[in-house]
Amino acid sequence: MIIITPPHSIANEVEIINVLFEEGLPLLHIRKPEIYISRLRRLIERVDSKFHSKLVLHHNYEIAADYNINRLHFTERNREDFDGILKELKTGAEYIISASVHTMPDFNQLSSRFDYAFFSPVYNSISKPGHKSKNDLVEELNQRTSFDTKLVALGGITANNCASLLIKGFDDFALLGGFWQAENPMEEFRKCLKISNDHVR
């Protein structure tokens, strides 16, 4: 199970992030495309350092080594040159790399260098009204030929539908609006985490 930050800042965001980790969240993707690097640093520095290994950067990769972050996410736009980007970091660190895709053919063509990839939207997006799913999930999953990279469902996911995605064949799922815009976010998180943990067992 993965949670992605909202692109904008929200009240008590870092406090919520620390509680999520304390309660067992495996990974948090920091996706704030318009944030200044100084504000991004402040956000990371307020997350308990024992959880920095569970943070994933979507941008400003050059600061990863400063916080012992070894997880980087590449969008469709920047993943074409991920080797070049990694070389520019000049840290020698072994990074865990993830990606975003929107079709199964694109997923199947990913290099095995990618540990996992978000496939979206599986359902109509909660965080992006109007961003509707056009995917027939059964048909899409039947087209899957790559199993070196984990397939992570994203888009419109809540505690009511995440279990069915794992049963259908997704390896994991990620929440954005399903968590941050839930009536009771922590209750939603706990339900989803239990479903995820039960599936792994």
Side-chain angles (χ1 to χ4, degrees), residues 8-189:
H8 54 280
S9 296
I10 64 167
N12 303 316
E13 185 172 4
V14 176
E15 290 79 6
I16 293 168
I17 289 170
N18 280 316
V19 171
L20 288 171
F21 281 134
E22 291 287 359
E23 295 206 13
L25 176 66
L27 291 176
L28 179 94
H29 278 240
I30 299 178
R31 180 186 170 273
K32 294 190 178 290
E34 297 177 9
I35 196 173
Y36 288 115
I37 192 167
S38 57
R39 290 186 64 192
L40 178 61
R41 283 184 178 277
R42 284 200 297 274
L43 186 153
I44 293 170
E45 287 163 5
R46 291 178 60 209
V47 174
D48 193 314
S49 60
K50 68 184 177 185
F51 300 129
H52 285 182
S53 63
K54 298 181 178 185
L55 296 176
V56 186
L57 289 180
H58 277 228
H59 46 79
N60 297 113
Y61 308 127
E62 66 275 14
I63 72 171
D66 296 341
Y67 302 102
N68 295 315
I69 295 172
N70 72 333
R71 296 175 178 273
L72 308 177
H73 184 84
F74 287 77
T75 61
E76 284 183 312
R77 186 180 303 167
N78 65 9
R79 76 166 182 254
E80 296 299 323
D81 188 36
F82 79 95
D83 278 324
I85 292 171
L86 292 178
K87 193 175 292 184
E88 284 180 13
L89 295 178
K90 297 177 182 174
T91 63
E94 279 295 318
Y95 289 102
I96 297 169
I97 309 297
S98 55
S100 299
V101 299
H102 302 289
T103 69
M104 194 56 69
D106 282 349
F107 174 80
N108 289 331
Q109 290 172 15
L110 285 176
S111 159
S112 60
R113 180 72 177 80
F114 291 96
D115 185 66
Y116 60 93
F118 292 143
F119 181 91
S120 70
V122 293
Y123 300 124
N124 294 343
S125 175
I126 297 167
S127 61
K128 299 177 183 176
H131 194 51
K132 298 186 182 299
S133 173
K134 298 175 183 175
N135 296 311
D136 179 327
L137 295 182
V138 173
E139 182 181 331
E140 292 280 357
L141 288 165
N142 283 339
Q143 294 177 40
R144 182 181 182 183
T145 57
S146 172
F147 294 90
D148 292 327
T149 300
K150 293 176 186 172
L151 184 64
V152 181
L154 173 64
I157 298 172
T158 68
N160 292 328
N161 58 29
C162 61
S164 66
L165 292 167
L166 298 174
I167 292 167
K168 284 185 172 83
F170 283 93
D171 300 307
D172 203 349
F173 59 87
L175 303 180
L176 204 171
F179 171 73
W180 298 101
Q181 293 171 230
E183 186 174 337
N184 187 326
M186 290 309 299
E187 182 180 331
E188 190 77 4
F189 162 70

